[in-house]
Amino acid sequence: MSFSTTSPPLARALAERSYDKPTPVQAAVLDDEAAGRDLLVSAQTGSGKTVAYGLAMASDLLGEAERFERAAAPLALIVAPTRELALQVHRELAWLYQHADGRVVACVGGMDPRREQRELAAGAHIVVGTPGRLCDHLRRGHLDTSELKVVVLDEADEMLNMGFREDMEFILESTPETRRSLLFSATFPRGIIALAKQYQQDAFRIEVAGDEGGHADIDYRAIRVAPGDVEHAVVNVLRFFEAPSALVFCNTREAVRHLQAALLERGFAVVALSGELTQNERTQALQSLRDGRSRVCVATDVAARGIDLPSLDLVIHADLPNDPEVMQHRSGRTGRAGRKGVSVLLVPPARRKRADMLLHLSGIDALWGTAPQADEIRKLDHERMLKDAVFEEEETPDDLALAQALLAERTPEQIAAALARLYRARLPSPEDIIDPGEVRSRTRDDRGRDHARDARGDDRSERLRSKPGKSSARHGMAEPSVWFRAAIGRRKNAEARWLLPMICRRGGIDKRDIGAIRISDTTTEFEISARVADSFAAKIQRPDKEDSIRIEPLPHAPQAEAPPEKRAHAPRREAGDVDRATRRDDRPRETARPKHRGKPDRDGGTKSTDDWAPRKKDKHRSKPGHTGPAVGVTAWSTKAAPGKKKKKRRG
């Protein structure tokens, strides 16, 4: 079936966009049985439903004419749940009706309402907007609905989920009873059925099966990941597919901010979309994706509604969606307009059952596997470099002259190696990823050996999962090492998980060459294998475009830092402090409380806090340099019964 049944100006616009065959939902709304009737349509995201209702209402708006008359009160009203979706619909209808001289006006939240008021006053044939902003214009008398012939509710189920039921009812009650209503929804929950019964008349119901809709071109993959490797899996999946544009979904704004920072630190061109951004910030982020300045977008579900990127070939679910409908909406951002797309779910072991349920309820047969490994990605990089378009471009005289100069100074092998380095320099480094199945079987088969290795600090994976503000679980290297210091610490939110890749990138080393990482308040000290220490020290002297953190070698290995609870009570002793109390006071000290708060040893001295933990019931400490009890201070006796206190005599 072709688009021959549409009006000539719309057929011309479709031909210019290479629309030669309608999608199933487009064919259904153009069927003779659906002509002129209210429609209740179930179609998935990416199935071409925007063009579908644009074609379906053409006969009501234009009739037999090929062009619109001068714009006045709007003839059609389209309601969409989010700003991005409304603006996308605005763009689609603008090109579809451009040869019919159609004027399309958008009214969405976050934009200047006075400008929208002026555009409505100037006249419009079609108005597209979000529920809240449209209701505001209706209440203020800026939107005239007396001439409406068609009302479209796009993604009506999502508007119900977002709490727009009262707004939708207010809009529908403000329209003429003779208007035609087209209701598009991914699913038909009870709320949608009730809305259709109340505001539609003899609606013609159309259901497009998921396999026949926009998801037929999506390749679903489920990847097993360890709980601490989700971030690394996102990096490797992005590097493995190297899609022109990719969308990564998280469930919370905080997760979006964290993942965006992690990807930026690794060298990805990434933007974020969440509900806390202003409309101007969201518009700029989407524009950077469309023009190629950014290649990755990290977003929440609500913020990503309506995103339509022509080159979006990859969707990653960093957090599993809450239900099958959300997963389909997410995945529907790719595989559009005949393009192939990939949807990847990252599944920790604890979420395996939920992932299976989501896939089963969605009727999706996903391919299960593990995350791409670093060796696989490097092999692909080699193949992509050999096929790079730069080798297909025609040489200019300047290029040939420079090539001759290079060959005169360097060997072909040196030039090729330099070209390979330049190619790799623009690519983020892949991450080492552990298969959660391997970890589970190893700990079950040889648990005792694993515990012994953990005690020695040999488990490198623990470094990647260290908590913010904590040092690495590894405290030494089996080989000779050299210590370095970075001028950043806890006060600037230093974390081992992003310090580690930064150190590798700055020094051109591998994670296996890094030992302990100790983070203090203002600095971070870390251990580098002596094998690569010289080259590391040379490379960190070069300026870095991505960060300005100063890194310098330490003259000697630092001492292990005492635990926080011990540091709080440890004495501050310097040279000459041993006899300070004796010089100040010659009174006998047989019963004096020792300066070091520990248990007495057999020689009559005290053991340091490194050997004994501080007594939990001590409530007071002596003044610095004073070895006896604080004068006039009531101390809790460690042998007294609970609730009672024993006073020591003054003097």
Side-chain angles (χ1 to χ4, degrees), residues 305-628:
R305 283 280 176 173
I307 290 180
D308 186 19
L309 301 173
S311 59
L312 183 63
D313 295 340
L314 175 64
V315 169
I316 302 175
H317 308 264
D319 294 328
L320 285 182
N322 296 323
D323 54 64
E325 296 175 13
V326 172
M327 185 174 69
Q328 291 180 0
H329 278 297
R330 287 180 175 186
S331 304
R333 299 299 101 200
T334 186
R336 305 167 73 90
R339 291 179 61 93
K340 298 295 182 180
V342 179
S343 178
V344 178
L345 286 83
L346 303 183
V347 186
R351 309 281 284 175
R352 175 62 187 262
K353 290 185 178 180
R354 181 170 185 82
D356 288 334
M357 180 192 69
L358 289 172
L359 294 170
H360 174 72
L361 294 177
S362 302
I364 296 171
D365 186 15
L367 177 64
W368 282 87
T370 58
Q373 297 297 319
D375 293 339
E376 300 177 57
I377 297 171
R378 294 189 184 99
K379 183 179 178 181
L380 283 174
D381 289 341
H382 296 165
E383 297 174 359
R384 289 166 181 156
M385 180 180 176
L386 295 175
K387 298 178 182 178
D388 196 285
V390 69
F391 295 108
E392 305 297 330
E393 297 177 2
E394 185 177 356
E395 299 86 357
T396 65
D398 291 339
D399 295 336
L400 294 175
L402 181 58
Q404 293 297 331
L406 288 172
L407 288 171
E409 297 290 335
R410 298 286 188 271
T411 65
E413 290 78 8
Q414 290 175 325
I415 298 174
L419 177 62
R421 286 195 298 270
L422 288 174
Y423 184 83
R424 289 197 304 267
R426 65 182 180 87
L427 299 173
S429 299
E431 298 285 348
D432 293 329
I433 294 187
I434 301 173
D435 185 352
E438 293 179 0
V439 174
R440 186 165 54 251
S441 61
R442 184 175 65 248
T443 55
R444 183 181 299 115
D445 296 340
D446 203 358
R447 183 176 303 172
R449 185 168 58 189
D450 277 359
H451 287 319
R453 186 184 63 238
D454 292 342
R456 294 194 308 267
D458 292 340
D459 191 355
R460 299 178 186 273
S461 66
E462 287 300 317
R463 289 188 288 114
L464 307 180
R465 295 188 289 273
S466 58
K467 296 182 179 179
K470 300 291 183 183
S471 297
S472 167
R474 180 176 179 172
H475 296 289
M477 299 187 73
E479 56 184 306
S481 62
V482 178
W483 283 84
F484 289 80
R485 176 171 55 204
I488 189 170
R490 294 191 189 97
R491 294 180 182 176
K492 294 187 178 180
N493 300 322
E495 299 180 11
R497 55 186 168 188
W498 65 261
L499 283 172
L500 188 66
M502 184 272 290
I503 295 169
C504 293
R505 188 190 72 249
R506 287 282 298 273
I509 60 176
D510 191 79
K511 282 180 278 193
R512 291 186 291 270
D513 299 323
I514 302 177
I517 299 177
R518 296 173 182 167
I519 304 174
S520 61
D521 289 340
T522 58
T523 61
T524 296
E525 297 168 349
F526 55 92
E527 190 180 15
I528 299 294
S529 172
R531 292 183 294 99
V532 298
D534 292 339
S535 62
F536 180 84
K539 291 180 180 179
I540 61 175
Q541 301 301 324
R542 303 172 185 173
D544 190 88
K545 297 180 180 179
E546 299 184 20
D547 62 65
S548 57
I549 299 173
R550 187 178 73 258
I551 301 178
E552 58 187 3
L554 285 176
H556 54 80
Q559 297 297 322
E561 192 175 14
E565 65 272 11
K566 294 186 179 181
R567 292 200 304 267
H569 301 284
R572 299 174 56 185
R573 301 191 63 177
E574 302 175 356
D577 282 352
V578 178
D579 299 326
R580 182 181 300 170
T582 305
R583 290 196 302 268
R584 291 186 55 192
D585 195 343
D586 293 329
R587 290 180 297 177
R589 300 293 181 184
E590 291 83 358
T591 59
R593 184 178 180 180
K595 178 181 177 183
H596 293 286
R597 298 175 58 195
K599 294 184 179 181
D601 59 18
R602 295 181 180 179
D603 298 329
T606 57
K607 290 189 176 182
S608 66
T609 53
D610 293 333
D611 299 324
W612 296 97
R615 289 181 293 178
K616 296 183 178 180
K617 293 189 177 182
D618 288 342
K619 299 299 182 180
H620 302 279
R621 289 185 295 174
S622 303
K623 297 181 180 179
H626 192 278
T627 58

